[in-house]
Amino acid sequence: MTNERETGPDAGYRPVVLAGAVTVAALALTIILGANITVIAWGAAAWTVSLAVKSAAAADLANLGGRLSPAMRGVGGGLWSAACGLGIAAAVATAMSAAPSPASLAAFGLGAGAAELVFLLAHARTDTVEPHLVETWRREARESVWIRYSFLVERTTALALHAGTRGLIWTSLSTEAIWPAITAFALFSLVDGVAVYGAARQWNWYQRSIHRRYFGFSSAAAAASLVLLALATPD
């Protein structure tokens, strides 16, 4: 996923503040419902380790990807992202409670989403955005509230997908049922795979038609992961 897709280049602070508020509110709700803050910290740690693994392999993967078609890069990128993110989450989850509460299942993924938000904000001032993307955002943002608040849309979607897929992974481990893990891996790899494919095809993420289709798709995947998590969670 590119930073160009994840941040509005000239959006101001309101979308960022709202994204932070959504994240904090979701974390607070899980704590109120009984999740331990340690679970959130472990979720954040798992995401951080997965980022380090991806970063270490980034150069080699870029060289390999340069020889592949955009479609194959999307497939490979999605599978690699899911293997790193959810594989490390699974390793961390095995060290925690064998019978997590529903609140803990959600908190584990929300911790990952919170860590990703902190990372994006820390790099927002140093990342550069291509001038044509800035111009597209400014033009489209005048007509579309979804483009104007693209950072909030992306962060809310990512937060839900983190909570759903990582919760499904932990559920699979605690119940010894394989289908939650398979569905989590499939949804995660599809969302990230399409993002990699779009980057390979040099999609302009602020073009309304692309923005609407991609985030419509990723939001549906995130919602599906949460519904499946609710169905998979033991009573």
Side-chain angles (χ1 to χ4, degrees), residues 15-177:
V16 175
V17 171
L18 289 174
V22 168
T23 303
V24 171
L27 291 170
L29 180 59
T30 61
I31 293 173
I32 291 170
L33 293 176
N36 193 306
I37 194 170
T38 304
V39 172
I40 296 172
W42 277 116
W47 182 88
T48 303
V49 172
S50 71
L51 175 66
V53 172
K54 291 178 186 178
S55 298
D60 291 335
L61 291 176
N63 291 333
L64 175 62
R67 299 192 293 270
L68 300 176
S69 68
M72 291 305 299
R73 288 169 68 178
V75 171
L79 293 175
W80 168 246
S81 183
C84 284
L86 299 184
I88 292 171
V92 171
T94 57
M96 295 191 292
S97 171
S101 68
S104 293
L105 290 171
F108 185 50
L110 293 175
E116 187 174 34
L117 174 62
V118 171
F119 173 81
L120 290 174
L121 295 180
H123 287 74
R125 290 298 180 185
T126 58
D127 289 337
T128 59
V129 182
E130 295 179 20
H132 78 279
L133 292 175
V134 177
E135 180 57 34
T136 301
W137 183 90
R138 287 174 176 164
R139 183 179 66 252
E140 298 285 5
R142 287 194 292 266
E143 305 293 333
S144 172
V145 67
W146 299 108
I147 300 295
R148 198 153 56 246
Y149 287 87
S150 56
F151 184 76
L152 174 61
V153 171
E154 195 277 337
R155 282 295 85 211
T156 302
T157 302
L159 194 66
L161 188 68
H162 280 310
T165 55
R166 282 166 168 75
L168 283 167
I169 290 293
W170 197 358
T171 298
S172 192
L173 291 169
S174 63
T175 63
E176 298 184 351

